[in-house]
Amino acid sequence: MGHSHSHHHHSTGSNLKLAFFINLVFTILEIFGGIWINSVAILSDAIHDLGDSVSLGLAWYLDKKSKKSANEQFSFGYIRFSLLGALINAVILIIGSFFVISEAINRLISPEVSDAKGMILFALLGVAVNGYAAWKVSTGSTQNEKVVSWHLLEDVLGWAAVLIAGIILYFKYIPWLDPALSLGISLFILWNVFKNLKETLYIFLQAVPAELSLEEIKMKICQIPQVESIHHTHLWSLEGAHHVFTTHVRIKEVQSLKDVLEAKAAIKEVLKSYPFSHYTVEVELQEERCELTEPHQH
């Protein structure tokens, strides 16, 4: 193919934009197609693809948005907007999956015939479209693109399952196969969505990032000779990759400003070994009283 190298010239945004439009058009086609050929397996994949379309759209929009610098309203910048995107996407997928599950259960109770030829044609199209979109996005370097690429590869596997089911149905009449496959796809989607939702809510609620130990950081700071104690120590993440740390440190044995600077330099040396995009250290002298109460002093 004469244009096989063209993806090198695409920016992050244009890869995501292309994948978004491909996915959206295909999702609309899929919803009508699933109803037309009477297949809940295709409808359940359509719900999955709708979620992916929202993911891609938000990823593309947030890719542009996150490049905006901090301002009066958003002093940390726009990085955290990606969390909002993840939440919206999770809600859409959960609602869609429950709708498809109830439809599939009804079909298991009273089976209906699906158009096997239609399933095979849609599945071939599904593998091709999602495969192409996954390949386009996988050439990108950002975390956003990598996550979206895995999403699309999942879709390719889902369509491969629909293709196998379509081929079996073409040769053998098994009315429960289509709704059973639909249930399998929907439950797999839900399992992944709840896993991602738990992580997203964890970050939203400003929990300490799982890969970091707050106690370990406190201990390292307290081992510095000039440090008497630390309090009001907080650690959270903006969106899973950019972490923020703040603490109040009470120092002792201060004879001059040089001692204060040395203590601050030692504290910052500890913090530099961690992946913080922002940290704040409030240094307090022994004779100072912390304006904020100190119930958690260590």
Side-chain angles (χ1 to χ4, degrees), residues 87-131:
L87 261 187
I88 294 166
N89 184 35
V91 171
I92 288 170
L93 282 173
I94 289 166
I95 294 167
S97 295
F98 278 118
F99 163 74
V100 170
I101 285 168
S102 68
E103 191 61 32
I105 290 167
N106 287 338
R107 287 288 181 93
L108 281 171
I109 296 162
S110 50
E112 290 181 30
V113 185
S114 302
D115 180 348
K117 271 189 196 168
M119 278 178 81
I120 294 166
L121 287 171
F122 256 103
L124 288 169
L125 192 61
V127 169
V129 168
N130 286 288

mmCIF file of all heavy atoms in Angstrom, residues 87-131:
data_model
loop_
_atom_site.group_PDB
_atom_site.id
_atom_site.type_symbol
_atom_site.label_atom_id
_atom_site.label_comp_id
_atom_site.label_asym_id
_atom_site.label_seq_id
_atom_site.Cartn_x
_atom_site.Cartn_y
_atom_site.Cartn_z
ATOM 1 N N LEU A 87 -15.235 8.476 34.272
ATOM 2 C CA LEU A 87 -16.478 8.268 35.028
ATOM 3 C C LEU A 87 -17.691 8.236 34.103
ATOM 4 O O LEU A 87 -18.539 7.357 34.209
ATOM 5 C CB LEU A 87 -16.674 9.395 36.048
ATOM 6 C CG LEU A 87 -16.280 9.109 37.498
ATOM 7 C CD1 LEU A 87 -16.696 10.268 38.385
ATOM 8 C CD2 LEU A 87 -16.912 7.832 38.029
ATOM 9 N N ILE A 88 -17.767 9.204 33.190
ATOM 10 C CA ILE A 88 -18.892 9.281 32.241
ATOM 11 C C ILE A 88 -18.949 8.006 31.406
ATOM 12 O O ILE A 88 -20.004 7.398 31.234
ATOM 13 C CB ILE A 88 -18.769 10.531 31.330
ATOM 14 C CG1 ILE A 88 -18.912 11.811 32.161
ATOM 15 C CG2 ILE A 88 -19.811 10.509 30.206
ATOM 16 C CD1 ILE A 88 -18.471 13.083 31.453
ATOM 17 N N ASN A 89 -17.772 7.591 30.930
ATOM 18 C CA ASN A 89 -17.684 6.389 30.105
ATOM 19 C C ASN A 89 -18.155 5.148 30.872
ATOM 20 O O ASN A 89 -18.903 4.322 30.345
ATOM 21 C CB ASN A 89 -16.226 6.212 29.653
ATOM 22 C CG ASN A 89 -16.053 5.055 28.712
ATOM 23 O OD1 ASN A 89 -16.930 4.772 27.914
ATOM 24 N ND2 ASN A 89 -14.944 4.375 28.822
ATOM 25 N N ALA A 90 -17.728 5.033 32.131
ATOM 26 C CA ALA A 90 -18.120 3.881 32.956
ATOM 27 C C ALA A 90 -19.636 3.820 33.148
ATOM 28 O O ALA A 90 -20.241 2.758 33.029
ATOM 29 C CB ALA A 90 -17.419 3.950 34.315
ATOM 30 N N VAL A 91 -20.248 4.968 33.415
ATOM 31 C CA VAL A 91 -21.706 5.029 33.617
ATOM 32 C C VAL A 91 -22.439 4.586 32.344
ATOM 33 O O VAL A 91 -23.380 3.788 32.402
ATOM 34 C CB VAL A 91 -22.143 6.446 34.063
ATOM 35 C CG1 VAL A 91 -23.661 6.585 34.051
ATOM 36 C CG2 VAL A 91 -21.598 6.754 35.455
ATOM 37 N N ILE A 92 -21.990 5.074 31.174
ATOM 38 C CA ILE A 92 -22.616 4.705 29.888
ATOM 39 C C ILE A 92 -22.519 3.187 29.671
ATOM 40 O O ILE A 92 -23.495 2.539 29.316
ATOM 41 C CB ILE A 92 -21.956 5.467 28.716
ATOM 42 C CG1 ILE A 92 -22.365 6.941 28.759
ATOM 43 C CG2 ILE A 92 -22.340 4.863 27.357
ATOM 44 C CD1 ILE A 92 -21.602 7.840 27.816
ATOM 45 N N LEU A 93 -21.328 2.632 29.930
ATOM 46 C CA LEU A 93 -21.126 1.193 29.725
ATOM 47 C C LEU A 93 -21.966 0.347 30.688
ATOM 48 O O LEU A 93 -22.514 -0.682 30.296
ATOM 49 C CB LEU A 93 -19.649 0.827 29.874
ATOM 50 C CG LEU A 93 -18.746 1.164 28.677
ATOM 51 C CD1 LEU A 93 -17.294 0.912 29.029
ATOM 52 C CD2 LEU A 93 -19.100 0.342 27.453
ATOM 53 N N ILE A 94 -22.085 0.778 31.931
ATOM 54 C CA ILE A 94 -22.866 0.018 32.929
ATOM 55 C C ILE A 94 -24.342 0.005 32.550
ATOM 56 O O ILE A 94 -24.983 -1.050 32.512
ATOM 57 C CB ILE A 94 -22.650 0.587 34.354
ATOM 58 C CG1 ILE A 94 -21.230 0.249 34.842
ATOM 59 C CG2 ILE A 94 -23.684 0.027 35.337
ATOM 60 C CD1 ILE A 94 -20.782 1.018 36.075
ATOM 61 N N ILE A 95 -24.893 1.195 32.225
ATOM 62 C CA ILE A 95 -26.315 1.279 31.838
ATOM 63 C C ILE A 95 -26.570 0.424 30.595
ATOM 64 O O ILE A 95 -27.509 -0.375 30.549
ATOM 65 C CB ILE A 95 -26.743 2.748 31.596
ATOM 66 C CG1 ILE A 95 -26.692 3.535 32.915
ATOM 67 C CG2 ILE A 95 -28.153 2.829 30.991
ATOM 68 C CD1 ILE A 95 -26.783 5.046 32.761
ATOM 69 N N GLY A 96 -25.702 0.572 29.585
ATOM 70 C CA GLY A 96 -25.844 -0.190 28.338
ATOM 71 C C GLY A 96 -25.751 -1.688 28.549
ATOM 72 O O GLY A 96 -26.548 -2.456 28.006
ATOM 73 N N SER A 97 -24.802 -2.114 29.386
ATOM 74 C CA SER A 97 -24.611 -3.543 29.637
ATOM 75 C C SER A 97 -25.811 -4.162 30.340
ATOM 76 O O SER A 97 -26.231 -5.269 30.000
ATOM 77 C CB SER A 97 -23.347 -3.774 30.472
ATOM 78 O OG SER A 97 -22.212 -3.379 29.741
ATOM 79 N N PHE A 98 -26.381 -3.456 31.327
ATOM 80 C CA PHE A 98 -27.553 -3.981 32.032
ATOM 81 C C PHE A 98 -28.765 -4.102 31.094
ATOM 82 O O PHE A 98 -29.537 -5.053 31.181
ATOM 83 C CB PHE A 98 -27.894 -3.133 33.260
ATOM 84 C CG PHE A 98 -27.054 -3.488 34.460
ATOM 85 C CD1 PHE A 98 -26.201 -2.562 35.040
ATOM 86 C CD2 PHE A 98 -27.096 -4.772 34.989
ATOM 87 C CE1 PHE A 98 -25.413 -2.895 36.136
ATOM 88 C CE2 PHE A 98 -26.315 -5.127 36.088
ATOM 89 C CZ PHE A 98 -25.472 -4.193 36.662
ATOM 90 N N PHE A 99 -28.872 -3.158 30.169
ATOM 91 C CA PHE A 99 -29.960 -3.211 29.180
ATOM 92 C C PHE A 99 -29.813 -4.463 28.302
ATOM 93 O O PHE A 99 -30.753 -5.212 28.080
ATOM 94 C CB PHE A 99 -29.951 -1.941 28.315
ATOM 95 C CG PHE A 99 -30.735 -2.057 27.040
ATOM 96 C CD1 PHE A 99 -32.126 -2.044 27.066
ATOM 97 C CD2 PHE A 99 -30.089 -2.205 25.816
ATOM 98 C CE1 PHE A 99 -32.858 -2.175 25.877
ATOM 99 C CE2 PHE A 99 -30.800 -2.329 24.636
ATOM 100 C CZ PHE A 99 -32.198 -2.312 24.668
ATOM 101 N N VAL A 100 -28.585 -4.691 27.829
ATOM 102 C CA VAL A 100 -28.318 -5.850 26.959
ATOM 103 C C VAL A 100 -28.477 -7.172 27.714
ATOM 104 O O VAL A 100 -29.014 -8.144 27.179
ATOM 105 C CB VAL A 100 -26.907 -5.735 26.318
ATOM 106 C CG1 VAL A 100 -26.525 -7.020 25.617
ATOM 107 C CG2 VAL A 100 -26.870 -4.582 25.320
ATOM 108 N N ILE A 101 -28.033 -7.220 28.985
ATOM 109 C CA ILE A 101 -28.157 -8.439 29.798
ATOM 110 C C ILE A 101 -29.633 -8.826 29.964
ATOM 111 O O ILE A 101 -30.004 -9.988 29.785
ATOM 112 C CB ILE A 101 -27.456 -8.271 31.174
ATOM 113 C CG1 ILE A 101 -25.929 -8.350 30.984
ATOM 114 C CG2 ILE A 101 -27.917 -9.336 32.172
ATOM 115 C CD1 ILE A 101 -25.116 -7.919 32.187
ATOM 116 N N SER A 102 -30.487 -7.825 30.262
ATOM 117 C CA SER A 102 -31.924 -8.131 30.432
ATOM 118 C C SER A 102 -32.529 -8.634 29.120
ATOM 119 O O SER A 102 -33.326 -9.568 29.098
ATOM 120 C CB SER A 102 -32.686 -6.904 30.941
ATOM 121 O OG SER A 102 -32.722 -5.900 29.955
ATOM 122 N N GLU A 103 -32.075 -8.054 27.992
ATOM 123 C CA GLU A 103 -32.549 -8.467 26.666
ATOM 124 C C GLU A 103 -32.102 -9.903 26.365
ATOM 125 O O GLU A 103 -32.866 -10.720 25.860
ATOM 126 C CB GLU A 103 -31.998 -7.494 25.612
ATOM 127 C CG GLU A 103 -32.591 -7.625 24.231
ATOM 128 C CD GLU A 103 -34.100 -7.389 24.147
ATOM 129 O OE1 GLU A 103 -34.631 -6.573 24.943
ATOM 130 O OE2 GLU A 103 -34.733 -8.050 23.314
ATOM 131 N N ALA A 104 -30.839 -10.203 26.712
ATOM 132 C CA ALA A 104 -30.286 -11.540 26.459
ATOM 133 C C ALA A 104 -30.998 -12.604 27.302
ATOM 134 O O ALA A 104 -31.259 -13.713 26.816
ATOM 135 C CB ALA A 104 -28.790 -11.555 26.751
ATOM 136 N N ILE A 105 -31.329 -12.268 28.559
ATOM 137 C CA ILE A 105 -32.039 -13.216 29.435
ATOM 138 C C ILE A 105 -33.428 -13.522 28.860
ATOM 139 O O ILE A 105 -33.858 -14.673 28.816
ATOM 140 C CB ILE A 105 -32.113 -12.686 30.890
ATOM 141 C CG1 ILE A 105 -30.701 -12.722 31.517
ATOM 142 C CG2 ILE A 105 -33.090 -13.500 31.737
ATOM 143 C CD1 ILE A 105 -30.549 -11.949 32.805
ATOM 144 N N ASN A 106 -34.101 -12.465 28.355
ATOM 145 C CA ASN A 106 -35.414 -12.659 27.714
ATOM 146 C C ASN A 106 -35.305 -13.597 26.523
ATOM 147 O O ASN A 106 -36.169 -14.446 26.290
ATOM 148 C CB ASN A 106 -36.001 -11.312 27.252
ATOM 149 C CG ASN A 106 -36.487 -10.487 28.425
ATOM 150 O OD1 ASN A 106 -36.776 -11.026 29.493
ATOM 151 N ND2 ASN A 106 -36.576 -9.175 28.243
ATOM 152 N N ARG A 107 -34.193 -13.431 25.747
ATOM 153 C CA ARG A 107 -33.982 -14.269 24.557
ATOM 154 C C ARG A 107 -33.677 -15.716 24.928
ATOM 155 O O ARG A 107 -33.998 -16.630 24.190
ATOM 156 C CB ARG A 107 -32.814 -13.719 23.720
ATOM 157 C CG ARG A 107 -33.122 -12.448 22.964
ATOM 158 C CD ARG A 107 -34.060 -12.700 21.783
ATOM 159 N NE ARG A 107 -34.309 -11.453 21.087
ATOM 160 C CZ ARG A 107 -33.602 -11.035 20.038
ATOM 161 N NH1 ARG A 107 -32.618 -11.753 19.567
ATOM 162 N NH2 ARG A 107 -33.924 -9.890 19.476
ATOM 163 N N LEU A 108 -33.027 -15.916 26.069
ATOM 164 C CA LEU A 108 -32.738 -17.281 26.516
ATOM 165 C C LEU A 108 -34.027 -17.987 26.925
ATOM 166 O O LEU A 108 -34.202 -19.178 26.701
ATOM 167 C CB LEU A 108 -31.751 -17.271 27.691
ATOM 168 C CG LEU A 108 -30.269 -17.074 27.352
ATOM 169 C CD1 LEU A 108 -29.457 -16.879 28.611
ATOM 170 C CD2 LEU A 108 -29.702 -18.271 26.567
ATOM 171 N N ILE A 109 -34.937 -17.198 27.555
ATOM 172 C CA ILE A 109 -36.231 -17.752 27.983
ATOM 173 C C ILE A 109 -37.102 -18.081 26.770
ATOM 174 O O ILE A 109 -37.680 -19.154 26.671
ATOM 175 C CB ILE A 109 -36.943 -16.774 28.956
ATOM 176 C CG1 ILE A 109 -36.119 -16.636 30.240
ATOM 177 C CG2 ILE A 109 -38.365 -17.235 29.276
ATOM 178 C CD1 ILE A 109 -36.455 -15.424 31.081
ATOM 179 N N SER A 110 -37.201 -17.125 25.843
ATOM 180 C CA SER A 110 -37.970 -17.397 24.614
ATOM 181 C C SER A 110 -37.081 -17.107 23.399
ATOM 182 O O SER A 110 -37.016 -15.968 22.918
ATOM 183 C CB SER A 110 -39.240 -16.546 24.578
ATOM 184 O OG SER A 110 -38.945 -15.197 24.845
ATOM 185 N N PRO A 111 -36.333 -18.128 22.919
ATOM 186 C CA PRO A 111 -35.363 -17.941 21.826
ATOM 187 C C PRO A 111 -35.982 -17.431 20.519
ATOM 188 O O PRO A 111 -37.125 -17.742 20.195
ATOM 189 C CB PRO A 111 -34.774 -19.336 21.624
ATOM 190 C CG PRO A 111 -35.123 -20.089 22.853
ATOM 191 C CD PRO A 111 -36.404 -19.510 23.350
ATOM 192 N N GLU A 112 -35.191 -16.620 19.826
ATOM 193 C CA GLU A 112 -35.588 -16.133 18.500
ATOM 194 C C GLU A 112 -34.456 -16.438 17.538
ATOM 195 O O GLU A 112 -33.294 -16.536 17.936
ATOM 196 C CB GLU A 112 -35.840 -14.619 18.541
ATOM 197 C CG GLU A 112 -37.094 -14.227 19.328
ATOM 198 C CD GLU A 112 -37.305 -12.715 19.327
ATOM 199 O OE1 GLU A 112 -36.907 -12.067 18.344
ATOM 200 O OE2 GLU A 112 -37.864 -12.207 20.312
ATOM 201 N N VAL A 113 -34.778 -16.546 16.257
ATOM 202 C CA VAL A 113 -33.756 -16.877 15.250
ATOM 203 C C VAL A 113 -32.981 -15.621 14.841
ATOM 204 O O VAL A 113 -33.566 -14.574 14.597
ATOM 205 C CB VAL A 113 -34.416 -17.513 13.995
ATOM 206 C CG1 VAL A 113 -33.349 -17.966 13.002
ATOM 207 C CG2 VAL A 113 -35.293 -18.693 14.402
ATOM 208 N N SER A 114 -31.648 -15.755 14.791
ATOM 209 C CA SER A 114 -30.797 -14.657 14.307
ATOM 210 C C SER A 114 -30.357 -14.968 12.883
ATOM 211 O O SER A 114 -30.264 -16.138 12.498
ATOM 212 C CB SER A 114 -29.561 -14.523 15.196
ATOM 213 O OG SER A 114 -29.938 -14.301 16.527
ATOM 214 N N ASP A 115 -30.084 -13.923 12.119
ATOM 215 C CA ASP A 115 -29.628 -14.094 10.734
ATOM 216 C C ASP A 115 -28.122 -14.389 10.749
ATOM 217 O O ASP A 115 -27.305 -13.491 10.968
ATOM 218 C CB ASP A 115 -29.929 -12.806 9.956
ATOM 219 C CG ASP A 115 -29.490 -12.885 8.501
ATOM 220 O OD1 ASP A 115 -28.762 -13.829 8.150
ATOM 221 O OD2 ASP A 115 -29.880 -12.001 7.726
ATOM 222 N N ALA A 116 -27.765 -15.658 10.565
ATOM 223 C CA ALA A 116 -26.357 -16.081 10.644
ATOM 224 C C ALA A 116 -25.477 -15.379 9.610
ATOM 225 O O ALA A 116 -24.365 -14.955 9.919
ATOM 226 C CB ALA A 116 -26.271 -17.590 10.477
ATOM 227 N N LYS A 117 -26.002 -15.246 8.355
ATOM 228 C CA LYS A 117 -25.222 -14.563 7.297
ATOM 229 C C LYS A 117 -24.919 -13.128 7.716
ATOM 230 O O LYS A 117 -23.802 -12.636 7.545
ATOM 231 C CB LYS A 117 -26.017 -14.569 5.981
ATOM 232 C CG LYS A 117 -25.768 -15.789 5.121
ATOM 233 C CD LYS A 117 -26.421 -15.579 3.768
ATOM 234 C CE LYS A 117 -26.557 -16.898 3.017
ATOM 235 N NZ LYS A 117 -27.429 -16.762 1.852
ATOM 236 N N GLY A 118 -25.941 -12.456 8.226
ATOM 237 C CA GLY A 118 -25.773 -11.069 8.684
ATOM 238 C C GLY A 118 -24.749 -10.964 9.797
ATOM 239 O O GLY A 118 -23.921 -10.047 9.818
ATOM 240 N N MET A 119 -24.788 -11.918 10.732
ATOM 241 C CA MET A 119 -23.816 -11.931 11.836
ATOM 242 C C MET A 119 -22.398 -12.066 11.308
ATOM 243 O O MET A 119 -21.483 -11.364 11.754
ATOM 244 C CB MET A 119 -24.116 -13.096 12.796
ATOM 245 C CG MET A 119 -25.203 -12.814 13.795
ATOM 246 S SD MET A 119 -25.534 -14.241 14.856
ATOM 247 C CE MET A 119 -24.232 -14.105 16.080
ATOM 248 N N ILE A 120 -22.204 -12.985 10.332
ATOM 249 C CA ILE A 120 -20.864 -13.211 9.762
ATOM 250 C C ILE A 120 -20.356 -11.946 9.071
ATOM 251 O O ILE A 120 -19.215 -11.516 9.287
ATOM 252 C CB ILE A 120 -20.873 -14.419 8.787
ATOM 253 C CG1 ILE A 120 -21.150 -15.715 9.567
ATOM 254 C CG2 ILE A 120 -19.559 -14.518 8.012
ATOM 255 C CD1 ILE A 120 -21.506 -16.917 8.705
ATOM 256 N N LEU A 121 -21.233 -11.307 8.251
ATOM 257 C CA LEU A 121 -20.831 -10.077 7.538
ATOM 258 C C LEU A 121 -20.468 -8.958 8.512
ATOM 259 O O LEU A 121 -19.447 -8.294 8.353
ATOM 260 C CB LEU A 121 -21.950 -9.619 6.592
ATOM 261 C CG LEU A 121 -22.144 -10.463 5.327
ATOM 262 C CD1 LEU A 121 -23.408 -10.053 4.591
ATOM 263 C CD2 LEU A 121 -20.933 -10.316 4.392
ATOM 264 N N PHE A 122 -21.315 -8.762 9.537
ATOM 265 C CA PHE A 122 -21.047 -7.711 10.533
ATOM 266 C C PHE A 122 -19.768 -7.998 11.314
ATOM 267 O O PHE A 122 -18.993 -7.089 11.609
ATOM 268 C CB PHE A 122 -22.230 -7.581 11.505
ATOM 269 C CG PHE A 122 -23.063 -6.377 11.210
ATOM 270 C CD1 PHE A 122 -24.279 -6.505 10.556
ATOM 271 C CD2 PHE A 122 -22.635 -5.112 11.582
ATOM 272 C CE1 PHE A 122 -25.050 -5.385 10.261
ATOM 273 C CE2 PHE A 122 -23.402 -3.995 11.297
ATOM 274 C CZ PHE A 122 -24.606 -4.124 10.644
ATOM 275 N N ALA A 123 -19.560 -9.264 11.655
ATOM 276 C CA ALA A 123 -18.372 -9.638 12.417
ATOM 277 C C ALA A 123 -17.096 -9.377 11.617
ATOM 278 O O ALA A 123 -16.112 -8.867 12.151
ATOM 279 C CB ALA A 123 -18.453 -11.104 12.833
ATOM 280 N N LEU A 124 -17.122 -9.714 10.314
ATOM 281 C CA LEU A 124 -15.952 -9.449 9.456
ATOM 282 C C LEU A 124 -15.665 -7.952 9.387
ATOM 283 O O LEU A 124 -14.516 -7.516 9.475
ATOM 284 C CB LEU A 124 -16.177 -10.028 8.046
ATOM 285 C CG LEU A 124 -16.132 -11.551 7.927
ATOM 286 C CD1 LEU A 124 -16.639 -12.000 6.566
ATOM 287 C CD2 LEU A 124 -14.709 -12.072 8.156
ATOM 288 N N LEU A 125 -16.753 -7.173 9.248
ATOM 289 C CA LEU A 125 -16.625 -5.715 9.213
ATOM 290 C C LEU A 125 -16.098 -5.203 10.558
ATOM 291 O O LEU A 125 -15.222 -4.330 10.608
ATOM 292 C CB LEU A 125 -17.999 -5.094 8.901
ATOM 293 C CG LEU A 125 -18.045 -3.617 8.535
ATOM 294 C CD1 LEU A 125 -17.239 -3.327 7.272
ATOM 295 C CD2 LEU A 125 -19.493 -3.166 8.336
ATOM 296 N N GLY A 126 -16.618 -5.792 11.647
ATOM 297 C CA GLY A 126 -16.205 -5.393 12.996
ATOM 298 C C GLY A 126 -14.732 -5.638 13.252
ATOM 299 O O GLY A 126 -14.032 -4.776 13.797
ATOM 300 N N VAL A 127 -14.248 -6.805 12.851
ATOM 301 C CA VAL A 127 -12.827 -7.128 13.025
ATOM 302 C C VAL A 127 -11.967 -6.149 12.219
ATOM 303 O O VAL A 127 -10.961 -5.629 12.706
ATOM 304 C CB VAL A 127 -12.535 -8.595 12.608
ATOM 305 C CG1 VAL A 127 -11.032 -8.861 12.526
ATOM 306 C CG2 VAL A 127 -13.186 -9.569 13.591
ATOM 307 N N ALA A 128 -12.393 -5.872 10.977
ATOM 308 C CA ALA A 128 -11.620 -4.974 10.096
ATOM 309 C C ALA A 128 -11.597 -3.542 10.630
ATOM 310 O O ALA A 128 -10.523 -2.933 10.749
ATOM 311 C CB ALA A 128 -12.212 -4.998 8.688
ATOM 312 N N VAL A 129 -12.777 -3.009 10.976
ATOM 313 C CA VAL A 129 -12.873 -1.610 11.436
ATOM 314 C C VAL A 129 -12.130 -1.396 12.747
ATOM 315 O O VAL A 129 -11.304 -0.492 12.871
ATOM 316 C CB VAL A 129 -14.365 -1.189 11.577
ATOM 317 C CG1 VAL A 129 -14.497 0.130 12.326
ATOM 318 C CG2 VAL A 129 -15.020 -1.064 10.205
ATOM 319 N N ASN A 130 -12.409 -2.247 13.745
ATOM 320 C CA ASN A 130 -11.746 -2.092 15.044
ATOM 321 C C ASN A 130 -10.258 -2.407 14.967
ATOM 322 O O ASN A 130 -9.457 -1.785 15.660
ATOM 323 C CB ASN A 130 -12.427 -2.971 16.098
ATOM 324 C CG ASN A 130 -13.772 -2.407 16.525
ATOM 325 O OD1 ASN A 130 -13.841 -1.406 17.214
ATOM 326 N ND2 ASN A 130 -14.846 -3.039 16.087
ATOM 327 N N GLY A 131 -9.907 -3.367 14.122
ATOM 328 C CA GLY A 131 -8.490 -3.707 13.924
ATOM 329 C C GLY A 131 -7.723 -2.527 13.345
ATOM 330 O O GLY A 131 -6.623 -2.202 13.795
#
